């Protein structure tokens, strides 16, 4: 027993540390929980499905320009689906890359413009050209895409693909054009975390505004698109779950909007118009609707759109006797070439033909085939017996036969144009457009063959900038005009000097009043009529204003190149005129001229000098104000007088000068920018005299002055330069 | 004749001491010694996910987990997390390793600075999850890029249109969608009713500060690593435990004392310490890349 007890004690004591240790370290046991696993997860079975829409193209017309001049972030092939649809509708297409022409010129014959993912902003001139185009009935399709920012440097992109996240946004470029039409792009992208096409940023749209563009659509999928805002219509609208990464809290967002006038369509995504995404859902159907919209643009064509105002083949009808004037046949050559370039067939006919549009060429004495058109338009050609009171023989147009019978000697003829006034036929070119019953007819009349040739040239160039126009009638002055229109209503007017006595000065003759006496001097006008943008110089106006008292020579750079030193010797004063042309950075010869002609020179133009030379950016100029009425240059003007300027034809902004731009010497600011101009108060006309050398720097296009002010200014300038 | 009572015999003191030693001291001391072997002091193992998650870092973690399994003293594991995530497959490897360990012992995570994307995915294998109030937690989602589509030429020939790229645009979208759904389902299944945020909201990819993550049910407690150790001990039913750094143990045991993650097995897609730039191969990633948040 004792031994048993001892054994038991031994065991107990042996076990005691085990128990103590156990309870010291353990408070329980671990129960492994039921661990849930992801099993049989039902993933949405995303499989891209592509479906082709059976396009049924309706015949359309017109010409669509695709812009590729603004560093557009796309490849030519990206445009293939849209281009194919347009071609199927008979629409012609051109790509604008800016190599040869301005955007304004490119839109000349266009009915629609497509601008996809520009990354370079549109210039003021380009925006004005597009606005004018839209106002004329043209259509604009503008597209941006959040996946197409300003392209990265290729080496950087190859080194690190993630740098794409830090690329510069292309939104400012898109908005530079869109904002003009009440449309704004947001720098965001739309997404939907619940209903999407394979990825949260591929958003489905099932809510559409009623519009021809959305006809027949059930669902459109955008593959990452910006949201837009517009004054007009949101074509697609997202539901409450379609959100923007930037526009927090907003719903009903849209990636496709139409401007209020229905002429501008802006899209926040272009991927859905490109392969293969255009085959998802109803994207292909939308593409067809889009092509229909572009192909049925209703551009309003008028004379200035020649030859695009014609839609059918043209019959050129010469109303002159070509038997006795075989040279008249050559008149048609430039017209045929111009029409041919526009894809319009032109043939010489003796009379108008059904099914063809018509272009009549004639004189004020030979126009019988077009007589009825002239009457309808409100044009009357009559014998003028008294300059003050033209005597109408009767209310009908006098035909050639009647004219010959009614007078034994040549009586001067006059043209009476409704709402424009009465014009001498001498030097007058008349254009009348008739667009009735789907048929377009244009009548061109002039005094004689040379004038008619000049009128044809004007028509081919579509240069009616110095003409008067009212409705269907346009009246222009040819180079042989000696008198101008009476009772004109549309001539630009300048400021009336309060004291008109100065205008009677001998140094300010009236143009046209050439007294036949000896000229006061010889003036050389260098006409720089070229530049990236521009329409016209003031050379013709200078010549008209000065020719009565000076022997004027005009040298035109575009035709003759820059003159050599020998060409400019022997003149008493010089005018270097660049008109409203912008400065050509790549043109070096101009600087050579400035280095050669340093005395007695008037340098005039909106951008006659490089803009980079000036601190301030060029700004729009609307009026001039006389700053120094004591200067010879301002004779005939009053102190503080404001001279209104007509609108610049090119829209190129004018340089902003400062007095320091003239360097040392006796410098006078004679005219400044008026109150209606940007940079008001800045010098515009600066006269400087240094070491006996006289120079005038004028930062505006001379033709913008009123005729009266032109005469004053030009003669004052030459007189001062010559030492008066 | 009468018998005299027997004379009591005097006990031998030496024998008494010997008896005491044998029957009392010996079993006590023996018990103490033997119990030390039989009932080792429990310990909590610390494993770490403190780098980008990629193939080798997942293997390295597996080695630490294996140590935890085979070491009889380790009764619970605390995962210290401070990682932006990384490769998809490596992340899922970590997830499953940690999840299977939970069958054997409690696995608790303690988030330090960051547990985003793949690191958060791995944390979902643990329960509960501790974080600091300002830890960055979440960023649920996947991203990646695929190689440019390749055409054909007369030099390199392949047996199929996607042999060289292994994917195309549509397939890549499917993969992204699949991984995203897998991630969301994992969070939902592991957090269960504790989750207070919808899958749709979670799929935006936002990362949340620890306190907000707790309110949303993405983490359970706000506290320190010690708090996580305490919790792990409580779940394991142990007290008076030691803490064993399993990462250091593995480094010394297998890598001669030099941590391979930093010395000779860093990730090819590791961020440059100066610029933060990474050089990532085409593919999918459960990765929160800080560089993408800031302008270059």
């Amino acid at each position: 027993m004792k031994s048993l007890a001892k054994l038991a004690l031994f065991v107990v004591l042996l076990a005691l540390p085990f128990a103590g240790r156990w309870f010291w370290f353990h408070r329980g046991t671990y129960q492994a929980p039921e661990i849930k696993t992801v099993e049989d997860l039902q993933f949405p079975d995303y499989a891209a499905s592509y479906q082709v829409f059976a396009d049924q193209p309706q015949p359309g017309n017109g010409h669509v320009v695709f812009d590729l001049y603004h560093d557009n972030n796309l490849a030519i092939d990206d445009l293939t689906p849209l281009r194919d649809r347009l071609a199927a509708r008979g629409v012609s297409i051109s790509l604008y890359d800016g190599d040869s022409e301005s955007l304004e010129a490119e839109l000349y014959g266009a009915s629609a413009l497509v601008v996809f993912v520009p990354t370079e902003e549109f210039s003021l001139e380009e925006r004005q050209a597009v606005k004018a185009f839209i106002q004329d009935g043209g259509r604009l399709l503008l597209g941006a895409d959040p996946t197409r920012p300003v392209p990265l440097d290729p080496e950087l992109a190859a080194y690190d693909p993630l740098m794409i996240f830090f690329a510069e946004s292309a939104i400012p470029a898109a908005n530079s054009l869109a904002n003009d039409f009440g449309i704004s792009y947001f720098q965001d992208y739309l997404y939907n975390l619940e209903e999407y096409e394979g990825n949260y940023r591929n958003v489905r749209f099932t809510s559409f505004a009623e519009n021809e563009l959305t006809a027949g659509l059930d669902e459109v999928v955008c593959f990452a698109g910006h949201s837009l805002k517009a004054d007009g219509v949101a074509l697609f609208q997202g539901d409450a779950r379609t959100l923007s990464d930037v526009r927090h809290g907003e719903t009903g967002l849209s990636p496709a909007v139409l401007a209020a006038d229905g002429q501008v369509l802006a899209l926040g995504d272009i991927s859905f118009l490109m392969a293969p995404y255009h085959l998802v859902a109803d994207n292909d159907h939308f593409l067809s609707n889009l092509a229909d919209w572009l192909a049925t643009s209703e551009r309003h064509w008028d004379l200035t759109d020649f030859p695009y105002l014609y839609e059918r083949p043209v019959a050129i009808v010469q109303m002159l006797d070509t038997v006795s004037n075989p040279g008249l046949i050559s008149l048609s050559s430039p017209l045929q070439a111009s029409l041919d370039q526009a894809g319009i067939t032109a043939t010489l006919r003796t009379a108008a033909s059904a099914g063809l549009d018509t272009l009549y060429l004639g004189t004020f004495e030979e126009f019988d085939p077009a007589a009825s058109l002239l009457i309808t338009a409100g044009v009357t050609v009559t014998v003028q017996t008294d300059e003050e009171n033209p005597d109408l023989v009767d209310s009908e147009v006098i035909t050639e036969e009647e004219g010959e019978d009614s007078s034994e000697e040549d009586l001067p003829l006059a043209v009476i144009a409704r709402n424009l006034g009465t014009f001498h036929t001498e030097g007058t070119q008349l254009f009348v457009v008739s667009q009735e019953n789907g048929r377009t007819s244009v009548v061109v009349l002039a005094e004689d063959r040379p004038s008619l040739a000049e009128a044809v040239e004007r028509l081919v160039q579509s240069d009616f900038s110095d003409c008067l126009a009212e409705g269907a009638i346009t009246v222009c002055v040819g180079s042989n005009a000696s008198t101008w229109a009476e009772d004109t209503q549309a001539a630009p007017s300048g400021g009336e000097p309060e004291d008109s006595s100065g205008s009677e000065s001998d140094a300010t003759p009236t143009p046209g009043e050439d007294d036949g006496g000896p000229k006061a001097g010889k003036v050389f006008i260098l006409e720089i009529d070229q530049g990236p943008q521009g329409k016209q110089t003031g050379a013709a106006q200078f010549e008209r204003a000065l020719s009565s008292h000076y022997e004027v020579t005009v040298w035109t750079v575009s035709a003759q190149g820059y003159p050599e030193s020998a060409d400019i010797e022997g003149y008493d004063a010089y005018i270097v005129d660049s008109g409203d042309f912008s400065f050509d950075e790549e043109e070096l010869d101009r600087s050579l001229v400035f280095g050669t002609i340093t005395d007695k020179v008037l340098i005039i133009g909106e951008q006659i000098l490089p803009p980079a030379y000036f601190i301030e950016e060029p700004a729009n100029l609307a009026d001039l104000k006389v700053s120094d009425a004591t200067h010879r240059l301002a004779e005939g003007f009053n102190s503080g007088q404001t001279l209104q300027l007509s609108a610049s034809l090119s829209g190129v902004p004018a340089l902003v000068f400062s007095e320091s731009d003239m360097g040392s010497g006796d410098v006078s600011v004679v005219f400044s920018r008026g109150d209606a101009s940007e940079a008001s108060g800045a010098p515009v006309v600066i006269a400087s005299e240094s070491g006996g050398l006289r120079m005038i720097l004028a930062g505006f296009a001379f033709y913008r002055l009123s005729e009266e002010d032109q005469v004053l200014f030009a003669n004052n300038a030459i007189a001062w330069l010559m030492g008066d | 004749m009468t018998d005299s009572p027997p004379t009591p015999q005097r006990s031998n003191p030496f024998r008494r001491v010997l008896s005491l030693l044998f029957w009392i001291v010996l079993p006590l001391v023996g018990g103490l010694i033997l119990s030390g072997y039989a009932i080792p002091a429990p310990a909590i193992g610390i494993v770490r996910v403190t780098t980008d998650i990629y193939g080798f870092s997942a293997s390295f973690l597996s080695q630490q987990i294996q140590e935890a399994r085979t070491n009889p003293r380790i009764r619970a594991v605390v995962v210290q997390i401070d990682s932006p995530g990384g490769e998809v497959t490596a992340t899922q490897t970590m997830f499953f390793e940690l999840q299977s360990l939970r069958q054997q012992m409690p696995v608790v995570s303690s988030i330090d600075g960051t547990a985003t994307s793949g690191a958060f995915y791995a944390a979902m294998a643990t329960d509960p999850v501790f974080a600091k109030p300002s830890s960055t937690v979440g960023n649920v989602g996947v991203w990646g890029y695929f190689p440019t589509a390749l055409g054909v030429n007369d030099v390199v020939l392949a047996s199929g249109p996607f042999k060289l790229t292994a994917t195309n645009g549509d397939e890549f979208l499917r993969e992204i969608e699949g991984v995203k759904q897998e991630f969301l389902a994992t969070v939902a299944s592991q957090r269960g009713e504790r989750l207070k945020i919808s899958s749709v909201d979670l799929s935006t990819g936002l990362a949340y500060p620890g306190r907000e993550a707790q309110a949303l049910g993405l983490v359970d407690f706000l506290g320190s690593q010690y708090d996580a150790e305490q919790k792990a001990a409580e779940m394991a039913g142990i007290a008076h435990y030691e803490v064993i750094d399993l990462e250091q143990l593995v480094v010394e045991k297998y890598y001669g004392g030099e941590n391979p993650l930093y010395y000779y097995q860093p990730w090819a897609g590791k961020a440059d310490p100066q610029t933060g730039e990474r050089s990532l191969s085409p593919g999918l990633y459960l990765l929160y890349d800080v560089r993408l948040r800031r302008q270059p």
Side-chain angles (χ1 to χ4, degrees):
Chain A
M1 279 302 284
K2 203 172 179 182
S3 298
L4 207 60
K6 283 184 181 176
L7 193 62
L9 180 64
F10 184 90
V11 171
V12 167
L13 290 175
L14 185 67
L16 201 60
F18 284 83
R21 196 172 173 82
W22 176 266
F23 287 109
W24 176 254
F25 290 130
H26 296 279
R27 296 289 184 268
T29 55
Y30 172 65
Q31 299 294 327
E34 181 189 351
I35 298 176
K36 294 177 185 170
T37 57
V38 177
E39 290 175 359
D40 299 327
L41 186 64
Q42 295 298 322
F43 294 130
D45 186 22
Y46 170 67
S49 65
Y50 300 107
Q51 53 195 30
V52 178
F53 174 69
D55 186 32
Q56 295 175 332
Q58 298 297 316
N61 56 44
H63 178 75
V64 176
V65 174
F66 282 81
D67 171 61
L68 294 178
Y69 183 53
H70 294 84
D71 279 344
N72 310 69
N73 190 353
L74 80 169
I76 296 291
D77 288 342
D78 291 337
L79 304 173
T80 299
L82 180 58
R83 290 176 66 181
D84 285 349
R85 297 295 160 91
L86 290 172
R89 286 153 175 75
V91 172
S92 62
I93 293 165
S94 68
L95 305 178
Y96 171 62
D97 56 11
D99 272 352
S100 55
E101 293 183 313
S102 65
L103 181 58
E104 182 187 11
E106 189 71 27
L107 292 176
Y108 190 49
S111 56
L113 172 66
V114 176
V115 179
F116 277 172
V117 286
T119 62
E120 192 178 283
E121 294 189 24
F122 282 73
S123 67
L124 176 63
E125 295 80 16
E126 290 171 331
R127 287 164 49 200
Q128 289 176 336
V130 175
K131 278 165 72 173
F133 171 71
I134 299 300
Q135 285 169 355
D136 224 15
R139 284 183 172 168
L140 170 64
L141 170 60
L142 182 57
D145 195 306
T147 63
R148 295 177 186 242
V150 176
L152 287 173
D153 178 79
E155 282 188 18
L156 186 62
Y159 169 69
D160 185 358
L162 296 183
M163 287 305 295
I164 189 70
F165 284 110
F166 305 113
E168 189 180 336
S169 170
I171 289 300
N175 275 335
S176 71
L177 195 58
N179 290 165
D180 285 341
F181 305 103
I183 295 172
S184 291
Y185 280 87
F186 286 85
Q187 199 161 312
D188 68 345
Y189 67 90
L190 298 175
Y191 69 91
N192 190 318
L193 292 169
E194 296 177 63
E195 281 291 321
Y196 48 81
E197 185 67 26
N199 187 267
Y200 75 107
R201 66 187 211 183
N202 302 342
V203 181
R204 297 187 183 134
F205 293 89
T206 55
S207 173
F208 303 100
E210 269 203 44
N211 188 276
E212 56 178 323
L213 283 160
T214 55
L217 303 181
D218 291 323
E219 179 182 281
V220 164
V221 178
C222 284
F223 293 81
H226 292 295
S227 68
L228 294 94
K229 224 170 196 178
D231 296 338
V233 176
L235 289 179
F236 318 152
Q237 264 192 334
D239 59 18
R241 298 166 299 178
T242 298
L243 307 172
S244 160
D245 72 310
V246 166
R247 299 170 68 180
H248 299 304
E250 294 186 60
T251 56
L253 302 170
S254 174
V257 297
L258 200 59
D261 61 3
Q263 297 297 104
V264 180
L265 170 62
L267 302 175
D269 172 39
I270 62 166
S271 300
F272 80 124
L273 300 178
M274 299 177 180
Y277 306 110
H278 74 289
L279 299 176
V280 175
D282 289 331
N283 290 3
D284 208 29
H285 190 162
F286 176 73
L287 190 63
S288 289
N289 292 352
L290 189 59
D292 287 337
W293 183 75
L294 290 170
T296 53
S297 163
E298 295 176 355
R299 176 112 183 242
H300 309 303
W301 305 104
D302 57 22
L303 187 66
T304 59
D305 298 311
F306 183 89
Y308 296 99
L309 73 170
Y310 288 112
E311 292 182 356
R312 305 189 296 179
V314 174
I316 300 177
V317 177
Q318 296 228 19
M319 297 184 287
L320 302 174
D321 179 9
T322 54
V323 173
S324 56
N325 295 283
L328 290 172
I329 295 175
S330 65
L331 275 180
S332 304
S333 297
L335 289 170
Q336 281 183 304
S338 178
L339 289 161
D340 184 60
Q341 205 168 8
I344 300 170
T345 307
T347 52
L348 287 177
R349 300 283 178 117
T350 55
S353 178
L356 298 178
D357 289 339
T358 315
L359 174 58
Y360 294 97
L361 303 177
T363 66
F364 291 112
E365 294 179 347
E366 295 178 86
F367 57 83
D368 197 44
S372 60
L373 287 175
L374 294 174
I375 292 173
T376 305
V379 172
T380 309
V381 180
T382 181
V383 173
Q384 185 168 1
T385 58
D386 187 311
E387 284 190 8
E388 294 295 321
N389 298 292
D391 185 15
L392 289 172
V393 174
D394 58 28
S395 62
E396 294 178 355
V397 171
I398 298 178
T399 63
E400 177 184 347
E401 189 179 333
E402 291 177 358
E404 287 178 351
D405 288 340
S406 63
S407 64
E408 295 180 357
E409 56 181 331
D410 290 331
L411 291 172
L413 296 177
V415 176
I416 304 175
R418 183 164 54 204
N419 294 329
L420 282 177
T422 306
F423 307 86
H424 301 292
T425 57
E426 181 186 357
T428 296
Q429 299 164 1
L430 175 72
F431 302 84
V432 174
V433 176
S434 167
Q435 291 172 312
E436 288 183 356
N437 302 320
R439 195 172 172 181
T440 300
S441 301
V442 176
V443 181
V444 182
L445 299 182
E447 180 189 7
D448 50 25
R449 187 208 169 271
S451 300
L452 186 59
E454 198 177 307
V456 165
E457 180 61 24
R458 180 189 292 275
L459 183 64
V460 169
Q461 298 295 330
S462 296
D463 181 10
F464 302 97
S465 56
D466 57 350
C467 303
L468 297 176
E470 180 64 33
I473 307 170
T474 303
V475 179
C476 307
V477 175
S479 59
N480 62 336
S482 59
T483 57
W484 186 228
E486 300 165 357
D487 301 328
T488 58
Q489 298 178 19
S493 60
E496 292 289 338
E498 294 178 13
D499 180 8
S500 62
S501 59
S503 63
E504 301 299 329
S505 162
D506 290 338
T508 58
T510 304
E513 292 185 357
D514 188 343
D515 58 7
K519 302 299 181 185
K522 293 172 65 176
V523 179
F524 181 91
I525 301 177
L526 177 62
E527 180 185 21
I528 303 178
D529 56 341
Q530 55 189 33
Q533 275 119 31
K535 287 290 280 186
Q536 185 176 308
T537 69
Q541 287 76 16
F542 269 120
E543 189 178 15
R544 188 162 55 238
L546 296 171
S547 58
S548 57
H549 270 64
Y550 300 95
E551 186 179 323
V552 178
T553 300
V554 178
W555 184 286
T556 303
V557 171
S558 64
Q560 299 168 270
Y562 277 93
E564 303 290 333
S565 298
D567 298 320
I568 62 175
E569 284 179 357
Y571 290 90
D572 300 299
Y574 302 86
I575 298 174
V576 180
D577 179 14
S578 68
D580 64 12
F581 284 85
S582 57
F583 189 84
D584 186 350
E585 299 284 348
E586 296 180 3
E587 183 192 46
L588 302 176
D589 293 335
R590 191 184 304 197
S591 58
L592 297 177
V593 169
F594 292 149
T596 305
I597 307 174
T598 59
D599 183 27
K600 301 186 182 66
V601 59
L602 163 63
I603 302 173
I604 183 168
E606 303 274 337
Q607 290 193 8
I608 185 67
L609 296 170
Y613 287 2
F614 301 88
I615 296 175
E616 292 198 44
E617 292 290 317
N620 289 323
L621 178 64
D623 56 356
L624 308 179
K625 184 180 272 191
V626 178
S627 299
D628 183 0
T630 64
H631 197 280
R632 178 66 179 85
L633 193 54
E635 187 166 305
F637 298 105
N638 294 304
S639 180
Q641 179 183 343
T642 298
L643 313 184
Q644 295 297 329
L645 298 177
S646 64
S648 166
L649 297 172
S650 68
V652 171
L655 299 173
V656 178
F657 297 150
S658 63
E659 288 188 42
S660 60
D661 294 323
M662 290 302 294
S664 60
D666 183 12
V667 176
S668 300
V669 176
V670 185
F671 293 87
S672 305
R673 285 172 170 259
D675 296 335
S677 301
E678 295 177 358
S680 173
V684 178
V685 180
I686 305 173
S688 86
E689 185 171 2
S690 175
L693 304 179
R694 289 188 172 188
M695 181 184 294
I696 301 171
L697 179 63
F700 68 98
F702 183 67
Y703 73 82
R704 298 178 62 191
L705 281 175
S706 70
E707 188 183 330
E708 199 170 338
D709 292 340
Q710 286 174 6
V711 172
L712 264 177
F713 183 88
N715 284 276
N716 285 349
I718 298 302
W720 182 75
L721 289 174
M722 289 176 62
D724 187 0
Chain B
M1 174 143 124
T2 46
D3 293 338
S4 55
T7 305
Q9 292 183 348
R10 292 181 183 267
S11 58
N12 190 335
F14 179 72
R15 267 188 85 167
R16 193 171 295 167
V17 168
L18 211 62
S19 179
L20 193 70
L21 282 174
F22 181 80
W23 293 108
I24 297 175
V25 176
L26 184 63
L28 279 175
V29 171
L32 280 170
I33 294 171
L34 289 174
S35 66
Y37 288 99
I39 306 175
I44 291 180
I46 306 297
V47 300
R48 293 197 174 83
V49 180
T50 53
T51 66
D52 300 325
I53 299 175
Y54 57 106
F56 184 78
S57 73
S59 308
F60 191 62
L61 180 73
S62 297
Q63 287 180 301
Q64 297 171 58
I65 291 173
Q66 185 60 19
E67 281 295 317
R69 282 205 185 94
T70 57
N71 189 327
R73 295 186 58 194
I74 304 294
R75 306 304 298 272
V77 165
V78 170
V79 185
Q80 182 188 356
I81 300 178
D82 189 2
S83 166
E87 295 177 343
V88 175
T89 307
T91 298
Q92 293 173 338
T93 298
M94 282 189 178
F95 174 85
F96 286 117
E97 286 279 354
L98 290 170
Q99 197 174 59
S100 71
L101 184 62
R102 274 178 67 201
Q103 299 285 0
Q104 193 175 324
M105 64 185 70
V107 181
V108 177
S109 58
S110 172
I111 298 173
D112 285 342
T114 302
T116 50
S117 203
F120 181 70
Y121 195 127
M124 290 298 96
T126 70
D127 195 354
V129 178
F130 282 75
K132 315 299 183 290
S134 296
S135 297
T136 303
V137 177
N139 186 228
V140 174
V142 58
W143 65 274
Y145 66 99
F146 62 97
T148 310
L150 301 176
V152 292
N153 58 64
D154 293 331
V155 178
V156 178
L157 305 179
S159 58
F162 308 116
K163 171 58 186 171
L164 292 169
T165 56
T167 189
N168 59 32
D170 288 343
E171 190 57 33
F172 198 71
L173 280 183
R174 282 171 49 84
E175 288 178 40
I176 284 183
E177 188 64 18
V179 174
K180 183 195 88 173
Q181 298 288 358
E182 183 82 43
F183 198 162
L184 290 171
T186 298
V187 173
S189 64
Q190 301 310 304
R191 300 306 298 167
E193 293 180 356
R194 292 173 289 182
L195 198 60
K196 300 293 186 289
I197 180 173
S198 68
S199 286
V200 171
D201 288 339
L202 206 55
S203 67
T204 61
L206 286 175
Y208 306 92
R211 188 172 291 280
E212 187 177 355
Q214 184 192 28
L216 294 173
L218 298 174
V219 303
D220 298 290
F221 302 104
L222 298 180
S224 64
Q225 181 170 318
Y226 176 74
D227 295 328
E229 292 166 4
Q230 287 280 84
K231 184 64 178 179
E234 179 190 325
M235 293 171 67
I238 59 175
H240 305 106
Y241 55 87
E242 288 180 23
V243 175
I244 296 177
D245 187 337
L246 291 175
E247 182 187 67
Q248 190 59 32
L249 193 71
V250 168
V251 167
E252 288 172 359
K253 190 173 178 180
Y254 297 105
Y255 300 100
E258 288 188 350
N259 192 321
L261 294 179
Y262 302 109
Y263 289 103
Y264 52 90
Q265 291 281 2
W267 187 28
K270 180 179 171 61
D272 183 287
Q274 298 291 330
T275 64
E277 288 182 8
R278 296 178 185 271
S279 179
L280 296 171
S281 304
L284 294 176
Y285 296 94
L286 296 170
L287 176 65
Y288 169 48
D289 192 348
V290 175
R291 178 173 55 114
L292 295 179
R293 262 186 80 175
R294 67 164 196 270
Q295 294 294 319

